[in-house]
Amino acid sequence: MRTSSSHEEGCDRRWSILTKRFDGAEKTVSKVCACTVEWYQQQGQWKFKEVPGSEFVLPADLILLATGFVHVVHDGLVQDLGLQLDDRGNIAANNFQSSVPWVFAAGDTVNGASLVVRAIDSGRQAAAAVDQWLRSSP
Ligand SMILES: Cc1cc2nc3c(=O)[nH]c(=O)nc-3n(C[C@H](O)[C@H](O)[C@H](O)COP(=O)(O)OP(=O)(O)OC[C@H]3O[C@@H](n4cnc5c(N)ncnc54)[C@H](O)[C@@H]3O)c2cc1C
Protein backbone atom coordinates (compact mmCIF):
# COMPACT_ATOMS: atom_id res chain seq x y z
CA MET A 1 0.00 0.00 0.00
CA ARG A 2 1.40 3.35 -1.08
CA THR A 3 1.01 6.44 1.08
CA SER A 4 1.84 9.66 -0.74
CA SER A 5 2.31 13.17 0.65
CA SER A 6 -1.33 13.95 -0.32
CA HIS A 7 -2.56 11.09 1.86
CA GLU A 8 -0.38 12.30 4.71
CA GLU A 9 -2.04 15.73 4.50
CA GLY A 10 -5.14 14.08 5.84
CA CYS A 11 -7.75 11.66 4.61
CA ASP A 12 -9.50 8.48 5.61
CA ARG A 13 -9.08 5.53 3.32
CA ARG A 14 -11.51 2.65 3.47
CA TRP A 15 -11.47 -0.59 1.53
CA SER A 16 -13.97 -3.37 0.82
CA ILE A 17 -16.80 -0.88 0.46
CA LEU A 18 -19.65 -1.20 -2.05
CA THR A 19 -21.54 1.95 -3.00
CA LYS A 20 -25.25 1.23 -3.11
CA ARG A 21 -26.56 4.65 -4.11
CA PHE A 22 -26.06 8.41 -3.94
CA ASP A 23 -28.73 10.49 -2.24
CA GLY A 24 -29.51 14.17 -2.35
CA ALA A 25 -32.10 16.76 -3.24
CA GLU A 26 -32.67 18.13 -6.73
CA LYS A 27 -29.32 17.78 -8.53
CA THR A 28 -27.14 18.07 -5.43
CA VAL A 29 -25.61 15.03 -3.82
CA SER A 30 -25.50 14.95 -0.02
CA LYS A 31 -24.74 11.38 0.96
CA VAL A 32 -23.31 8.07 -0.12
CA CYS A 33 -25.13 4.92 0.96
CA ALA A 34 -22.77 1.99 1.13
CA CYS A 35 -22.06 -1.33 2.79
CA THR A 36 -19.08 -3.47 3.61
CA VAL A 37 -18.14 -6.43 1.43
CA GLU A 38 -16.24 -9.62 2.06
CA TRP A 39 -13.88 -11.08 -0.53
CA TYR A 40 -13.71 -14.78 -1.26
CA GLN A 41 -12.27 -17.03 -3.96
CA GLN A 42 -14.40 -19.16 -6.27
CA GLN A 43 -12.73 -21.35 -8.90
CA GLY A 44 -9.59 -19.23 -8.68
CA GLN A 45 -11.45 -15.93 -9.17
CA TRP A 46 -11.85 -13.27 -6.51
CA LYS A 47 -15.46 -12.30 -5.87
CA PHE A 48 -17.12 -10.25 -3.19
CA LYS A 49 -20.38 -10.45 -1.27
CA GLU A 50 -22.16 -7.92 0.90
CA VAL A 51 -21.80 -8.30 4.66
CA PRO A 52 -25.42 -8.48 5.93
CA GLY A 53 -26.39 -5.51 8.12
CA SER A 54 -23.23 -3.53 7.29
CA GLU A 55 -25.00 -0.66 5.48
CA PHE A 56 -23.85 2.85 6.42
CA VAL A 57 -24.24 6.43 5.20
CA LEU A 58 -21.46 8.98 4.61
CA PRO A 59 -22.18 12.70 4.16
CA ALA A 60 -20.79 13.93 0.82
CA ASP A 61 -20.84 17.09 -1.25
CA LEU A 62 -18.44 15.92 -3.97
CA ILE A 63 -18.03 12.43 -5.36
CA LEU A 64 -15.12 11.46 -7.61
CA LEU A 65 -15.33 8.13 -9.36
CA ALA A 66 -11.94 6.45 -9.70
CA THR A 67 -12.95 3.38 -11.64
CA GLY A 68 -10.54 0.63 -12.50
CA PHE A 69 -10.26 -1.52 -15.58
CA VAL A 70 -11.68 -4.93 -16.22
CA HIS A 71 -10.89 -6.67 -19.48
CA VAL A 72 -10.96 -6.20 -23.23
CA VAL A 73 -14.40 -5.29 -24.66
CA HIS A 74 -16.11 -8.52 -25.70
CA ASP A 75 -18.93 -7.04 -27.79
CA GLY A 76 -18.10 -6.77 -31.47
CA LEU A 77 -14.75 -7.97 -32.74
CA VAL A 78 -13.83 -10.45 -30.00
CA GLN A 79 -17.26 -12.10 -29.99
CA ASP A 80 -17.72 -11.91 -33.76
CA LEU A 81 -14.41 -13.72 -34.29
CA GLY A 82 -15.32 -16.26 -31.58
CA LEU A 83 -12.02 -15.76 -29.73
CA GLN A 84 -11.54 -17.76 -26.54
CA LEU A 85 -10.99 -15.74 -23.38
CA ASP A 86 -8.78 -16.45 -20.39
CA ASP A 87 -10.15 -16.56 -16.86
CA ARG A 88 -9.68 -12.78 -16.51
CA GLY A 89 -11.76 -12.10 -19.62
CA ASN A 90 -8.81 -11.15 -21.85
CA ILE A 91 -8.03 -12.82 -25.17
CA ALA A 92 -6.45 -16.23 -24.54
CA ALA A 93 -3.25 -16.35 -26.59
CA ASN A 94 -0.33 -18.71 -26.99
CA ASN A 95 2.72 -16.88 -28.32
CA PHE A 96 0.31 -14.06 -29.32
CA GLN A 97 -1.81 -16.45 -31.41
CA SER A 98 -5.46 -16.55 -30.36
CA SER A 99 -7.77 -19.58 -30.50
CA VAL A 100 -8.42 -18.62 -34.15
CA PRO A 101 -5.01 -19.37 -35.73
CA TRP A 102 -4.89 -16.39 -38.10
CA VAL A 103 -5.89 -13.91 -35.40
CA PHE A 104 -3.03 -12.61 -33.25
CA ALA A 105 -3.48 -10.43 -30.20
CA ALA A 106 -1.14 -8.22 -28.18
CA GLY A 107 -1.05 -5.47 -25.60
CA ASP A 108 -3.86 -4.81 -23.17
CA THR A 109 -6.19 -7.22 -24.99
CA VAL A 110 -3.96 -10.06 -23.78
CA ASN A 111 -2.23 -8.65 -20.69
CA GLY A 112 -5.14 -6.70 -19.28
CA ALA A 113 -4.70 -3.03 -18.41
CA SER A 114 -0.99 -2.33 -18.24
CA LEU A 115 1.66 0.14 -19.39
CA VAL A 116 2.57 1.71 -22.73
CA VAL A 117 6.06 0.19 -22.69
CA ARG A 118 4.59 -3.27 -22.17
CA ALA A 119 2.12 -2.72 -25.05
CA ILE A 120 4.95 -1.63 -27.38
CA ASP A 121 7.07 -4.65 -26.46
CA SER A 122 4.05 -6.92 -26.81
CA GLY A 123 3.28 -5.47 -30.27
CA ARG A 124 6.84 -6.11 -31.42
CA GLN A 125 6.81 -9.66 -30.14
CA ALA A 126 3.40 -10.26 -31.76
CA ALA A 127 4.76 -9.00 -35.11
CA ALA A 128 7.65 -11.47 -34.81
CA ALA A 129 5.18 -14.26 -33.98
CA VAL A 130 3.05 -13.40 -37.05
CA ASP A 131 6.20 -13.40 -39.21
CA GLN A 132 7.29 -16.77 -37.82
CA TRP A 133 3.80 -18.23 -38.37
CA LEU A 134 3.58 -16.94 -41.98
CA ARG A 135 7.04 -18.30 -42.80
CA SER A 136 6.25 -21.72 -41.35
CA SER A 137 2.80 -21.96 -43.01
CA PRO A 138 2.54 -23.99 -46.20
C1 LIG B 1 -6.76 6.82 -18.43
C2 LIG B 1 -5.53 5.99 -18.72
C3 LIG B 1 -4.30 6.44 -18.29
C4 LIG B 1 -3.15 5.69 -18.54
N1 LIG B 1 -1.93 6.16 -18.12
C5 LIG B 1 -0.82 5.50 -18.42
C6 LIG B 1 0.47 6.02 -18.06
O1 LIG B 1 0.59 7.10 -17.47
N2 LIG B 1 1.55 5.30 -18.40
C7 LIG B 1 1.47 4.12 -19.06
O2 LIG B 1 2.52 3.52 -19.37
N3 LIG B 1 0.29 3.59 -19.39
C8 LIG B 1 -0.87 4.25 -19.10
N4 LIG B 1 -2.08 3.73 -19.45
C9 LIG B 1 -2.14 2.41 -20.08
C10 LIG B 1 -1.81 2.47 -21.57
O3 LIG B 1 -2.55 3.51 -22.18
C11 LIG B 1 -2.18 1.11 -22.20
O4 LIG B 1 -1.52 0.06 -21.49
C12 LIG B 1 -1.76 1.05 -23.65
O5 LIG B 1 -2.33 2.13 -24.38
C13 LIG B 1 -2.20 -0.26 -24.27
O6 LIG B 1 -1.88 -0.24 -25.64
P1 LIG B 1 -2.62 -1.20 -26.64
O7 LIG B 1 -2.05 -0.91 -28.00
O8 LIG B 1 -2.55 -2.61 -26.14
O9 LIG B 1 -4.17 -0.80 -26.57
P2 LIG B 1 -4.86 0.59 -26.88
O10 LIG B 1 -3.93 1.74 -26.73
O11 LIG B 1 -6.13 0.58 -26.07
O12 LIG B 1 -5.21 0.49 -28.42
C14 LIG B 1 -6.24 -0.34 -28.91
C15 LIG B 1 -6.77 0.35 -30.15
O13 LIG B 1 -7.67 -0.54 -30.81
C16 LIG B 1 -8.77 0.20 -31.25
N5 LIG B 1 -9.87 -0.74 -31.42
C17 LIG B 1 -10.59 -1.39 -30.46
N6 LIG B 1 -11.51 -2.18 -31.01
C18 LIG B 1 -11.37 -2.04 -32.35
C19 LIG B 1 -12.05 -2.59 -33.48
N7 LIG B 1 -13.06 -3.44 -33.34
N8 LIG B 1 -11.66 -2.20 -34.69
C20 LIG B 1 -10.63 -1.33 -34.86
N9 LIG B 1 -9.95 -0.78 -33.84
C21 LIG B 1 -10.33 -1.12 -32.61
C22 LIG B 1 -9.01 1.22 -30.16
O14 LIG B 1 -9.76 2.30 -30.64
C23 LIG B 1 -7.56 1.62 -29.83
O15 LIG B 1 -7.10 2.66 -30.65
C24 LIG B 1 -3.25 4.46 -19.23
C25 LIG B 1 -4.50 4.01 -19.67
C26 LIG B 1 -5.62 4.77 -19.43
C27 LIG B 1 -6.95 4.29 -19.94
Side-chain angles (χ1 to χ4, degrees), residues 2 6 8 10-11 14 28 30-32 34 53 70-71 73-74 88 90 92 108-109 112 117-118 121 123 125 127 137:
R2 183 172 160 268
S6 340
E8 282 164 0
C11 67
R14 298 177 66 166
T28 309
S30 61
K31 49 188 164 181
V32 180
V70 275
H71 44 62
V73 175
H74 299 158
R88 292 167 60 212
N90 293 310
D108 282 7
T109 56
V117 285
R118 247 186 119 192
D121 179 58
Q125 289 191 56
S137 299

Side-chain angles (χ1 to χ4, degrees), residues 68-136:
F69 305 96
V70 275
H71 44 62
V72 62
V73 175
H74 299 158
D75 288 349
L77 197 64
V78 171
Q79 267 173 4
D80 293 350
L81 289 169
L83 306 183
Q84 272 177 20
L85 304 171
D86 65 18
D87 55 11
R88 292 167 60 212
N90 293 310
I91 297 173
N94 182 11
N95 195 27
F96 303 92
Q97 194 166 26
S98 74
S99 55
V100 178
W102 52 91
V103 177
F104 286 73
D108 282 7
T109 56
V110 176
N111 299 325
S114 188
L115 297 170
V116 169
V117 285
R118 247 186 119 192
I120 293 169
D121 179 58
S122 177
R124 285 181 174 158
Q125 289 191 56
V130 171
D131 180 56
Q132 192 186 23
W133 184 70
L134 287 172
R135 285 173 195 272
S136 62

